[in-house]
Amino acid sequence: MAASRTLIEARKGSIPLARIALRGEAILTNPRFNKGTSFTHRERQAFGLTGRLPSRVNSLDEQIERAYEQLSSRQEPLRKNTFLQSLKDQNWVLYYGLISKHLKELVPIIYTPTQETMEEEFLEQTVRQGREVDLVVCTDAEAILGIGDQGVGGIAISTAKSVMYTLIGGLDPARSLSVMLDVGTDNEKLLNDKIYVGWQHKRVRGEDYDKFLDKFVQLVRKYYPHSLLHFEDFASKNAYNLLMRYKKHHAVFNDDIQGTGAVTLACLMAAIGIANDHAHNKKGSLASQRYVIMGAGSAGLGIATQIRDAIVAADHVSKEEACSRFWLIDREGLVYETGEGMAKGVGEIKGRLEGFVRSAEEGWKDNVPLLDVVKKIKPTVLIGCSTAAGAFTQEVVQAMMDGGCERPIVFPLSNPSRLVEAKPDDLMKWTNGKALVATGSPFPPVKMNVGGQEKQFIIAECNNALIYPGLGFGAVLAKTKELTDKMIVAGAHRLAELSPAVRRQKSEGSDYAGEALLPDFQEAPKINFEIGVAVAEEVVREGDSGVDGLTVKEVRERAKEKVWVPLYADYEYDPKGMV
């Protein structure tokens, strides 16, 4: 049984009675309370629905089966997306129940961008209505899904992220808020489009932009002090600045920076648990690795920062010493100090590089290629987020092995798959099955002959959705006012422990046999529940919980009560009930 259904089954029979003040058309058009044909005969009579619905009462499972048949009749992803959006507008439980049952198939569909509108004043209106909110997902739509400035159409990514927090993280959709911050657009097509519904003005930048964002964040802090504020698809510079500006004042999160870093850290922890550190004749630690990261943008720096912070926390070394284990390569070569400052091409991120810039005393030159860096420093870990297709050549990987790394850890993470730095089947072939590989896009298993035996290697997908919904659920569960580095690392540790490869090694004590370094995406709801528990436990340990008297031992049971799953409650009409 799929993990998502397991959570649903666990809650069956424990859903409380809901007292509802809506009747007739009002309840049928309210997606939070509408059950469609699942309204019982008792409920139909109590809520004035007799004659408004077909006579037969369907179970939720029957509704899901019928909805899936309707969805399957639509061939194009965009038409499937439209059907699902329409279903979400009608019935939240059925929408989430359907996707939960077909998680791997339908998550890519609900991420398809569609255009909707949202007024800037929506947040204020919601506050005046007294709505309780646990999650706020906002975007200014400047860097949507790698396709750039989408204007107010970017609201689709905010709503999609909110859906993922509910679908995989268990957050109540009634307590989520999706926001589009319309600060204009630099998309010329939209600026010249007569029917564009957004503000047809060049993007506001500088001081005015900062003041507007600060006003928004302060509203969130004032009215929703224990909410998680998720920044989504902001341009690289703004994303980093917002995260740094507010991370000590509110529970804020940026998936492009922290989510990518956290899931990669978890995958790395799993890989290190399998690979031997032959230089010390013991299992390697995070601090004992040498890291080359190709790509010094938001993703690359997010990964480097997350791993560095984990090294500091786990191996009790200074931040400077941890930074010394990294070599970052940008478009024009290794990032290092020169007589005129830093290597070219990193001006926008100069303030973010901190200790990751290599010293000029090491003798580096401009435009040092990846192969030369690998030969000189003999890395044990090679990570790619450069979109430089094929950059991890056989020569590069062989140089890692020639440097004494018997089991090279190679993560070509660039998306989409056509831009990957190396294909998994090539990496396994070049290393005779020794490489420990994870990718940013899904790839099929690699089947090959190793030592006269046919083996299959499952390629882990470093999908952020394996961790960020759980990080958010844990933060909301424990009502933390700050999502700290230790909390994120705690979530990554729990994800690494749930690695199929690690679990098999611990249970059987046998060598790596090709299992994935990360769980399959179909297990994402169960995995994120565990991550949420780990994060909330760390919140309690740090003394930052806003839940009075919450102890570490109580977190798991509290989480079981808090998680939202798509199941219908029993309704009873009450004019003073929910509306």
Side-chain angles (χ1 to χ4, degrees), residues 322-397:
C323 284
S324 72
R325 310 302 295 173
F326 293 83
W327 288 260
L328 272 59
I329 297 178
D330 203 31
R331 292 172 184 163
E332 298 185 37
L334 186 75
V335 178
Y336 76 104
E337 293 177 342
T338 69
E340 300 176 351
M342 291 182 205
K344 301 174 184 177
V346 296
E348 184 178 294
I349 60 174
K350 182 174 180 179
R352 302 166 50 189
L353 289 167
E354 298 180 355
F356 294 120
V357 180
R358 304 306 303 189
S359 170
E361 297 176 358
E362 297 175 12
W364 298 104
K365 298 179 180 179
D366 286 351
N367 302 310
V368 179
L370 173 63
L371 180 59
D372 287 358
V373 174
V374 170
K375 286 181 175 180
K376 182 173 181 177
I377 66 108
K378 300 178 176 58
T380 57
V381 179
L382 180 60
I383 298 173
C385 19
S386 64
T387 67
F392 296 172
T393 63
Q394 183 174 2
E395 270 189 300
V396 168
V397 176

Side-chain angles (χ1 to χ4, degrees), residues 8-83:
I8 294 173
E9 292 294 333
R11 290 293 295 277
K12 283 185 176 179
S14 64
I15 301 296
L17 182 70
R19 300 186 183 278
I20 312 297
L22 302 175
R23 298 186 86 248
E25 192 72 15
I27 196 170
L28 289 176
T29 56
N30 187 306
R32 180 181 180 185
F33 299 118
N34 182 26
K35 295 185 180 183
T37 57
S38 279
F39 279 106
T40 65
H41 291 303
R42 177 191 64 78
E43 290 171 332
R44 295 180 190 204
Q45 185 174 6
F47 291 94
L49 300 177
T50 302
R52 292 177 179 267
L53 296 165
S55 61
R56 182 181 173 186
V57 175
N58 288 124
S59 67
L60 175 58
D61 288 338
E62 289 170 337
Q63 287 183 312
I64 288 173
E65 183 178 356
R66 182 168 60 233
Y68 185 69
E69 289 180 1
Q70 294 172 325
L71 177 71
S72 299
S73 69
R74 292 156 172 79
Q75 300 301 317
E76 295 297 322
L78 186 57
R79 293 189 64 207
K80 291 178 184 286
N81 176 275
T82 302
F83 174 84

Side-chain angles (χ1 to χ4, degrees), residues 142 149 184-189 191 201-205:
E142 187 170 6
D149 190 336
T185 178
D186 289 338
N187 185 324
E188 292 295 331
K189 183 178 179 180
L191 288 171
H201 187 282
K202 284 286 188 179
R203 279 189 174 271
V204 173
R205 300 192 183 278

Side-chain angles (χ1 to χ4, degrees), residues 380 382 392-402 405-410 422-437 446 448-451 455 457 459 512:
T380 57
L382 180 60
F392 296 172
T393 63
Q394 183 174 2
E395 270 189 300
V396 168
V397 176
Q398 187 61 52
M400 288 182 72
M401 300 186 75
D402 291 344
C405 180
E406 182 179 343
R407 275 203 178 279
I409 298 172
V410 186
K423 295 179 179 178
D425 53 350
D426 286 333
L427 291 170
M428 301 311 295
K429 180 178 66 177
W430 297 338
T431 62
N432 195 31
K434 292 288 188 180
L436 296 168
V437 179
V446 176
M448 59 182 293
N449 187 290
V450 179
K455 295 190 69 173
F457 297 93
I459 305 303
Y512 176 62

